[in-house]
């Protein structure tokens, strides 16, 4: 796992706030008075909604050719618009490593105050991250992590392992009383490391339930088309199973279509990422889809919050620390019919 | 499997060769006579079916699985029929996947969904034809190399598809379209999309083998200059061929909408490679002058059957890719060996 080790506790702490409103930094102040009696911390400047020093944030992300990535861009833009003191310099998204390096270098040359980078490939963008940091521009590394901690000031992202873990534990709870239960997995793109992490988390969770066996796993391509094709094959191969975990709600649209086409409803399905269409289906409760584990695109809004705090030299409210943390892992909450209303506003198209 | 083919092949009367400069084993079929390549491909398919039946007897030979294999072959199959014409004429169409994407997202915009089934189908076909028209004009009258012109179309059609969708999945809400993809709509147990595929294949076969248009296509691919001297309007022929390919992409886009219940800018990814590979394996010459619709369809079926067997046996994607490459090489080697024996 490329993530910072042991981020899960922090993830737990911040998860709910970040997920529900993306308001990691701002929401806490108004609701909860600080209880710390540490004088230094009390006097430390914290980021809030009040306009402060003007900050120019450079944002470089990959091409938004997929629901989740599109939501990332939207979240970043709308968050930046909320702040009168923030100017967002946004580059054309690109999945080409060389092109993205060039875009970040352009932002460095423009002398933006802070950079937010969601690299198409974290390892490949490490050098340009280092270059920015050396030029005195702090980097907020969003989601796909750089190979060196020197290349960023702060990392914020999702928890792929946690997605698998929470999906597995949810399915386990649902099936714990069923002897010889069978589950299958419709994974994402197998050549991405995050797919392996999601599967690892899922497998580890299933170890808690000895009555459950994973009988099949096929990888799709994160697209509706691939989800439909691979799911149709899986349904053909497995005449009977009890639960399905699908890594991604976009390919889940296709998977649900294949399930409808096969006329199957004899199992429960858990999705991943938190698309609005998936949450709508969970709320309606008329399909096999009963839950989805989040990988919230609100992290982009939080990254803008962090970048603004960095640019203004402030810390995070609600914490004793003078500076913003070095890393934040969001929590992969399980959205079910019981709590779907709470999460529906974060669902992306 | 392939040996009995050789005598039949040699006994068969030679093609009416006046418009087909290629005199190798490719017969201008006078009936549904298969050439050696097709028989060797049938052999490969038979081996695959045996493997599938042996490893997963209950699942593989089930009716529902055969329906699935054919349905999954249908969309790429329709694209391959169009591609076969283009390659037969000595051209190439790298833009098919992008055209499928553009046609599928354009046809699933809210505006077109207002007009229901007809609106979606019409838009998909018109967008496909429009892209084919641009390709054809650039190549036939603009003098551009097909590789470059269709590469440009690949880039711009994908870009336009992304712009239209803004990266979002466009859900289809028109019930009559969605209903085509579920099994209640099967006719005599055959999924509607498979019937579309069969119809496109039949029409394609008739055009290529039984019409002047088909003979001209082969002639242009064999020797464009000779074809011109023989009085064929080579440029107009080329324009029609890219239009035909675009039309097939439009039909395929509609089929994909039925299948996936949505339009997405990522649709049709790498279709160009799958379609070219299927056509080449089927025995269509990349240099032009010879094409076989039956071979192309068999090529598509081989690919789809492989994918199906892999999924039934729960193979990892890495193993799937390696094995797929190996089987492509094996299929082509078997063909060449058979051909040498036959010649």
């Amino acid at each position: 796992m490329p993530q910072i080790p042991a981020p899960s506790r922090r993830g737990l702490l911040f998860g709910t706030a970040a997920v529900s409103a993306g308001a990691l930094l701002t929401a806490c102040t108004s609701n909860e008075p600080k209880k710390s009696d540490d004088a230094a911390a009390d006097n430390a400047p914290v980021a809030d909604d009040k306009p402060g020093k003007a900050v120019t944030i450079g944002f470089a992300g990959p091409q938004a050719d997929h629901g989740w990535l599109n939501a990332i861009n939207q979240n970043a833009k709308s968050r930046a618009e909320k702040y009168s003191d923030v100017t967002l310099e946004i580059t054309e998204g690109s999945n080409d490593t060389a092109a993205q390096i060039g875009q970040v270098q352009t932002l460095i040359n423009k002398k933006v105050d802070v950079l937010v980078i969601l690299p198409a490939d974290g390892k490949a963008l490490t050098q340009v991250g280092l270059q920015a940091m050396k030029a005195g521009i702090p980097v907020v590394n969003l989601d796909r992590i750089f190979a060196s901690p020197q290349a960023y000031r702060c990392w914020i992202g999702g928890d792929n392992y946690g997605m698998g873990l929470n999906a597995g534990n949810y399915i386990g709870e649902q099936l714990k009383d069923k002897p010889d239960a069978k589950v299958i997995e419709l994974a994402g793109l197998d050549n991405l490391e995050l797919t392996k992490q999601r599967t690892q988390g899922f497998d580890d969770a299933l170890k808690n339930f000895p009555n459950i066996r994973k009988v099949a796993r096929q990888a799709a391509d994160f697209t509706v088309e691939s989800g439909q094709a691979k799911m149709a094959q899986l349904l053909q191969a497995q005449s009977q199973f009890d639960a399905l975990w699908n890594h991604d709600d976009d390919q889940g649209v296709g998977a649900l279509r294949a399930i409808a086409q096969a006329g199957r409803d004899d199992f429960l399905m858990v999705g991943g990422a938190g698309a609005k269409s998936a949450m709508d289906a969970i709320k309606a409760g008329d399909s096999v889809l009963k839950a989805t584990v989040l990988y919230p695109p609100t992290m982009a809004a939080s990254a803008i919050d962090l970048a603004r705090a960095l640019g203004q030299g402030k810390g995070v409210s609600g914490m004793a620390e003078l500076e913003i943390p070095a890393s934040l892992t969001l929590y992969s909450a399980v959205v079910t019919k019981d709590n779907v209303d709470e999460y529906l506003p974060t669902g992306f198209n | 499997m392939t040996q009995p083919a050789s005598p039949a092949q040699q006994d068969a009367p030679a093609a009416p060769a006046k418009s087909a400069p290629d005199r190798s084993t490719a017969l201008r079929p006078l009936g549904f006579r298969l050439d050696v390549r097709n028989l060797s491909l049938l052999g490969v398919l038979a081996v695959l079916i045996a493997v599938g039946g042996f490893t997963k007897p209950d699942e593989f030979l089930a009716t529902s699985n055969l329906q699935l294999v054919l349905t999954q072959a249908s969309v790429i199959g329709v694209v391959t029929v169009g591609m076969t014409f283009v390659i037969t004429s000595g051209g190439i169409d790298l833009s098919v996947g992008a055209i499928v994407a553009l046609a599928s997202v354009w046809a699933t915009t809210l505006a077109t969904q207002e007009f229901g089934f007809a609106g979606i189908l019409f838009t998909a076909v018109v967008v496909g034809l429009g892209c084919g028209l641009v390709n054809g004009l650039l190549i036939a009258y603009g003098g551009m190399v097909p590789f470059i012109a269709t590469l440009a179309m690949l880039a711009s059609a994908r870009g336009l598809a992304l712009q239209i969708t803004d990266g979002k999945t466009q859900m289809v809400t028109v019930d009559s379209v969605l209903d085509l993809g579920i099994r209640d709509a099967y006719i005599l147990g055959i999924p509607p999309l498979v019937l579309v595929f069969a119809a496109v294949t039949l029409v394609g076969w008739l055009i290529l083998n039984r019409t002047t248009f088909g003979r001209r296509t082969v002639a242009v691919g064999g020797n464009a200059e000779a074809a011109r001297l023989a009085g064929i309007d080579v440029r107009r022929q080329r324009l029609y061929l890219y239009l035909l390919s675009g039309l097939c992409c439009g039909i395929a886009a509609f089929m994909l909408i039925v299948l996936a219940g949505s339009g997405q800018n990522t649709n049709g990814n790498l279709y160009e490679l799958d379609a070219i590979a299927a056509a080449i394996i089927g025995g269509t010459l990349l240099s032009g002058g010879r094409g076989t619709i039956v071979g192309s369809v068999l090529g598509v079926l081989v690919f789809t059957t492989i994918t199906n067997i892999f999924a039934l046996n729960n193979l990892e994607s890495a193993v799937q890719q390696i094995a797929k490459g190996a089987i492509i090489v094996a299929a082509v080697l078997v063909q060449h060996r058979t051909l040498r024996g036959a010649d």
Side-chain angles (χ1 to χ4, degrees):
Chain A
M1 282 179 58
Q3 270 118 343
I4 307 294
S8 56
R9 256 173 302 157
R10 264 178 276 174
L12 276 165
L13 272 170
F14 292 113
T16 321
V19 166
S20 56
L24 185 59
L25 301 169
T26 48
C28 302
T29 358
S30 48
N31 297 340
E32 291 173 47
K34 271 197 293 185
K35 292 193 177 112
S36 165
D37 45 15
D38 182 309
D42 270 351
N43 297 333
V46 293
D48 53 31
D49 282 338
K50 282 186 222 101
K53 184 185 143 200
V55 178
T56 304
I57 299 172
F59 182 86
Q63 193 172 38
D65 57 0
H66 176 265
W68 186 84
L69 285 170
N70 182 60
I72 281 281
N73 284 353
Q74 294 307 323
N75 266 283
K77 277 184 206 160
S78 56
R79 194 68 174 180
E81 277 164 16
K82 261 192 63 180
Y83 295 120
S84 59
D85 51 4
V86 167
T87 312
L88 195 65
E89 291 263 4
I90 194 157
T91 65
E92 182 76 14
S94 175
N95 288 331
D96 177 38
T97 298
Q100 205 184 14
I101 289 172
Q103 289 166 346
V104 175
Q105 282 169 338
T106 309
L107 290 171
I108 295 173
N109 290 341
K110 279 185 176 171
K111 298 193 164 50
V112 296
D113 299 313
V114 193
L115 270 169
V116 176
I117 306 174
L118 200 174
D121 177 342
K123 288 187 181 121
L125 268 282
T126 305
Q127 282 307 319
V128 80
L130 284 169
Q131 199 183 329
M133 292 290 282
K134 276 183 192 149
I137 302 173
V139 174
V140 177
N141 180 196
L142 184 54
D143 199 42
R144 297 177 194 169
I145 197 163
F146 290 149
S148 161
Q150 293 190 62
Y152 58 90
R153 163 63 182 82
C154 170
W155 177 83
I156 177 166
D159 186 1
N160 286 300
Y161 180 86
M163 269 180 95
L165 195 68
N166 291 350
N169 280 329
Y170 173 79
I171 287 176
E173 282 301 316
Q174 304 299 309
L175 299 178
K176 66 178 178 216
D177 297 327
K178 192 175 168 77
D180 297 326
K182 292 180 193 164
V183 300
I184 63 175
E185 186 181 13
L186 182 63
L189 258 180
D190 245 348
N191 56 12
L192 294 180
E193 202 167 348
L194 63 91
T195 301
K196 299 291 178 199
Q197 293 162 4
R198 290 179 189 183
T199 294
Q200 188 61 51
F202 189 60
D203 289 347
D204 287 353
L206 291 184
K207 283 179 193 148
N208 300 329
F209 304 92
N211 63 318
I212 301 177
R213 197 159 51 93
K214 188 166 92 176
V215 292
R217 175 188 186 278
Q218 287 288 304
D221 297 337
F222 280 142
T223 67
V224 176
E225 184 191 347
S226 66
Q228 196 278 341
K230 293 291 185 173
M231 192 65 224
Q233 301 278 20
L234 271 173
L235 289 167
Q236 196 59 49
Q238 307 298 326
S239 53
Q240 188 274 319
F241 58 92
D242 301 290
L244 156 73
W245 184 44
N246 162 52
H247 285 206
D248 178 74
D249 284 336
D250 246 28
Q251 70 183 24
V253 171
L256 280 168
R257 185 87 184 114
I259 291 163
Q261 279 157 353
R264 295 275 290 270
D265 59 358
D266 51 333
F267 54 88
L268 79 99
M269 171 174 168
V270 176
K276 186 169 178 300
S277 66
M279 292 194 199
D280 285 340
I282 291 165
K283 187 170 178 174
D286 54 1
S287 73
V288 291
L289 188 63
K290 300 300 179 206
T292 185
V293 280
L294 291 187
Y295 198 81
T298 50
M299 66 177 70
S302 299
I304 297 295
D305 293 337
L306 289 168
R308 175 172 174 262
L310 267 174
Q312 296 177 337
K314 291 171 179 167
V316 182
S317 65
M319 289 182 72
E321 264 62 52
L322 294 174
E323 304 273 358
I324 69 164
S327 91
L328 288 166
T329 309
L330 302 193
Y331 183 65
S332 296
V334 181
V335 176
T336 64
K337 199 168 184 174
D338 296 334
N339 62 8
V340 64
D341 286 326
E342 191 185 334
Y343 291 101
L344 209 43
T346 72
F348 55 89
N349 282 309
Chain B
M1 190 67 200
T2 50
Q3 275 158 349
S6 306
Q9 161 65 27
Q10 282 160 344
D11 293 345
K18 65 174 194 277
S19 62
D22 176 62
R23 288 173 180 276
S24 73
T25 55
L27 300 172
R28 311 290 303 140
L30 299 175
F32 261 114
R33 189 175 287 123
L34 296 162
D35 75 11
V36 186
R37 288 179 180 81
N38 292 346
L39 281 167
S40 60
L41 262 188
L42 271 178
V44 172
L45 200 53
V47 170
L48 285 175
I49 289 170
V51 170
F54 182 73
T55 54
K56 290 278 165 184
D58 296 337
E59 290 92 347
F60 183 75
L61 294 171
T63 312
S64 57
N65 191 50
L66 300 180
Q67 288 168 336
L68 175 67
V69 171
L70 289 174
T71 307
Q72 296 200 329
S74 294
V75 182
I76 187 69
V78 168
V79 173
T80 306
V81 168
M83 181 69 86
T84 304
F85 276 88
V86 170
I87 297 180
T88 302
S89 76
I92 195 90
D93 191 346
L94 298 181
S95 61
V96 288
I99 296 177
V100 168
L102 180 60
S104 76
V105 299
W106 214 320
T108 52
T109 55
L110 287 178
T112 54
Q113 287 200 33
E114 265 181 39
F115 296 96
F117 189 101
I120 293 177
L121 176 60
F122 179 78
T123 311
V125 169
V126 166
V127 172
L129 279 172
C131 293
L133 180 68
V134 174
N135 277 339
L137 287 175
L138 289 176
I139 292 161
Y141 296 96
M144 278 178 86
V145 180
F147 188 92
I148 302 300
T150 57
L151 192 61
M153 177 58 74
L154 183 162
S156 41
R158 277 245 176 255
L160 195 50
L162 179 56
Q163 193 172 43
I164 289 173
T165 57
D166 201 12
K168 293 171 186 165
T169 300
Q170 300 187 147
M171 304 294 290
V172 173
T173 51
V174 179
D175 285 336
S176 52
V177 173
L178 293 174
D179 289 347
L180 258 193
I182 60 172
R183 51 178 171 179
D184 301 344
Y186 290 8
I187 298 157
L188 298 174
I190 305 170
L193 296 186
V194 177
L195 293 173
V196 174
F197 177 33
V200 170
T201 302
L202 181 63
V203 171
W205 183 86
L206 284 173
I207 292 177
L208 189 58
N209 297 300
R210 290 299 175 86
T211 64
T212 320
F213 184 89
R215 280 200 297 281
R216 284 179 181 158
T217 305
V218 177
V220 168
N223 186 335
E225 183 57 19
R228 195 185 63 80
L229 292 173
I232 296 173
D233 188 339
V234 173
R235 290 196 291 192
R236 195 171 62 192
Q237 184 70 20
R238 288 208 168 119
L239 173 65
Y240 287 160
L241 286 165
Y242 287 92
L243 267 175
L244 184 68
S245 179
L247 172 66
C248 287
C249 294
I251 297 171
F254 180 77
M255 295 164 80
L256 203 49
I257 290 168
V258 168
L259 209 51
S262 62
Q264 226 192 2
N265 66 299
T266 48
N267 277 345
N269 194 24
L270 297 185
Y271 273 22
E272 53 280 357
L273 295 184
D274 285 350
I276 293 169
I280 301 307
I281 286 181
T284 297
L285 271 187
L286 194 52
S287 51
R290 184 178 62 219
T292 145
I293 299 289
V294 177
S296 295
V297 169
L298 286 176
V300 169
L301 286 178
V302 165
F303 276 139
T304 318
T305 310
I306 292 171
T307 312
N308 180 255
I309 292 171
F310 287 162
L312 289 183
N313 287 288
N314 201 31
L315 256 67
E316 282 176 39
S317 39
V319 181
Q320 291 190 13
Q321 288 174 27
I322 297 165
K324 204 165 169 178
I327 290 172
I328 292 174
V329 172
V332 172
L333 282 181
V334 166
Q335 276 184 5
H336 283 197
R337 193 156 282 253
T338 319
L339 275 181
R340 270 203 295 277
D343 278 342

